[in-house]
Amino acid sequence: MAENYAVELRNVTKKFGQVVAVDDVSLRIGRGEFYSLLGPSGCGKTTTLRMIAGFEMPTRGEVLIEGEVQGHLPPHQRPVNTVFQNYALFPHMTVEQNIAFGLEMRKVPKDEIRRRVGEMLEMVHLTGMGKRKPAQLSGGQQQRVALARALVNRPEVLLLDEPLGALDLKLRQAMQLELKALQEQVGITFIYVTHDQGEALTMSDYIAVMNRGRVLQLGTPEEIYENPTSRFVADFIGETNFIPVTVREGGQSPRVAIGDQVVEAVWAQDGLPVGAQAVLSIRPEKIALHRQASDAPGKAVIPGKVTNLMYLGTDTRYTVAIAGGSEVVVRMQNVTSSEHFFRPGETVALAWSPHHGRVMEAD
């Protein structure tokens, strides 16, 4: 039922002239979830967020918030607030004045404003900085002010449009953890737009992966990473190998040929016919190298030759040539001394659990 969802999109389409920015998108976002819209630039994620906020109106379909159809309600009449990448702080106002602005517009009593602003400053770790101007703050502190200003109005839903995109890498990673902790503390629904897969995996309860205006896959971070249902999702979320294969057996447990070797795998999508050219998607960390196939009983095994290695501290990244001229990337954790490294030119057996190899269409 609609009332079970903080936000629901029903077959929403948005066109700008002849350009379809969002194409028949349906989503159900539960109360209290951290829900990310993830995809490359131009995939429609920000337009989707703007339709929830009321900055854009759907060409077709409906947006519901807390079970209520929003129709053509403007942003200020919707129970949402938005945090933007550029913070949009008022430079002439102090931190306290920025946070209090929305409450003052709603004629909230001054004592309550003072109390709620103080609570927000404490929540975002800016106690004692209320009298400063935005220009006197770091990027991370300005982002905290923007969050506090949005949260002080106690919206049903907080919309965040790439809010960490302007921060440097180290600060962005620190803010990811703070943002997730803040969301859990306040308990409201966060809908987060990002093109950064690491951000989405780190913070989200659920992810919608988008491309060309469509939602390609929905799921938890683990589901999206471990069980991609298309080549785009497998490639966009993390690093993966796409090994050319030929389908030898169909059914529930497909078998595919890599050169002369036939291995078991699982379908990533609807099964392909016997004889079809496909790819086997497998994550580099799911593969182990052995000196001979007999060292990996019960595994899918193919031969290869190491062409390159990169020592990365916690693990080593190997490039291995296999039949047909393809190269496979393997990442193995460094738990032993360097004398056990495989060297360029060495013949090896690549081994993995059959359920980690996912067969999908080549294109």
Side-chain angles (χ1 to χ4, degrees), residues 145-301:
V145 176
L147 286 166
R149 185 177 62 181
L151 289 170
V152 77
N153 290 311
R154 298 174 180 169
E156 299 288 348
V157 180
L158 186 65
L159 309 175
L160 302 106
D161 189 7
E162 306 224 30
L164 308 183
L167 305 180
D168 63 60
L169 177 60
K170 190 171 183 178
L171 181 55
R172 189 161 71 242
Q173 291 173 337
M175 283 296 295
Q176 289 169 16
L177 300 177
E178 286 194 25
L179 196 55
K180 178 59 178 174
L182 181 62
Q183 188 266 337
E184 291 174 346
Q185 182 179 352
V186 297
I188 68 172
T189 304
F190 278 29
I191 304 178
Y192 191 94
V193 160
T194 182
H195 67 276
D196 187 317
Q197 47 167 307
E199 257 181 23
L201 292 173
T202 297
M203 296 188 292
S204 308
D205 297 313
Y206 291 93
I207 298 172
V209 182
M210 299 185 67
N211 191 39
R212 297 182 179 178
R214 287 185 167 268
V215 173
L216 300 188
Q217 189 170 347
L218 300 169
T220 66
E222 182 177 2
E223 288 168 345
I224 296 289
Y225 183 83
E226 298 288 351
N227 303 308
T229 58
S230 67
R231 181 163 182 160
F232 177 87
V233 174
D235 194 30
F236 192 76
I237 308 293
E239 184 180 19
T240 196
N241 295 290
F242 293 112
I243 303 173
V245 297
T246 302
V247 177
R248 288 284 183 251
E249 295 181 21
Q252 295 297 314
S253 301
R255 293 170 64 85
V256 296
I258 305 172
D260 296 330
Q261 305 294 123
V262 177
V263 299
E264 294 181 7
V266 296
W267 296 117
Q269 51 208 166
D270 292 339
L272 301 172
V274 172
Q277 300 301 304
V279 291
L280 187 71
S281 171
I282 183 165
R283 303 288 187 187
E285 74 276 8
K286 305 296 187 185
I287 308 172
L289 299 182
H290 299 275
R291 290 200 156 77
Q292 49 193 7
S294 59
D295 293 336
K299 302 286 187 179
V301 180

Side-chain angles (χ1 to χ4, degrees), residues 83-142:
V83 178
F84 301 98
Q85 181 176 336
N86 63 0
Y87 316 139
L89 300 178
F90 300 115
H92 62 286
M93 292 184 180
T94 65
V95 168
E96 288 177 343
Q97 290 168 337
N98 267 280
I99 297 172
F101 182 78
L103 299 177
E104 291 173 346
M105 292 296 100
R106 292 164 51 195
K107 310 298 185 186
V108 173
K110 290 185 177 180
D111 286 348
E112 185 177 349
I113 291 176
R114 192 158 43 247
R115 178 180 60 79
R116 285 167 64 174
V117 169
E119 290 174 351
M120 281 294 114
L121 286 171
E122 183 176 356
M123 185 177 291
V124 298
H125 309 298
L126 290 176
T127 301
M129 298 187 182
K131 303 302 182 186
R132 297 187 185 184
K133 298 286 184 66
Q136 297 173 292
L137 303 177
S138 68
Q141 289 169 337
Q142 290 182 45

Side-chain angles (χ1 to χ4, degrees), residues 49-57 71-75 78 80 159:
L49 195 80
R50 289 176 62 82
M51 285 190 287
I52 297 171
F55 296 120
E56 302 286 352
M57 298 300 163
H72 282 71
L73 284 179
R78 300 190 181 201
V80 303
L159 309 175

Side-chain angles (χ1 to χ4, degrees), residues 5 12 25 34 38 43 72 91 151 183 209 228 236 250 256 303 346 357 360:
Y5 304 107
V12 169
V25 166
F34 197 120
L38 172 66
C43 74
H72 282 71
L151 289 170
Q183 188 266 337
V209 182
F236 192 76
V256 296
E346 188 170 353
M360 54 187 64

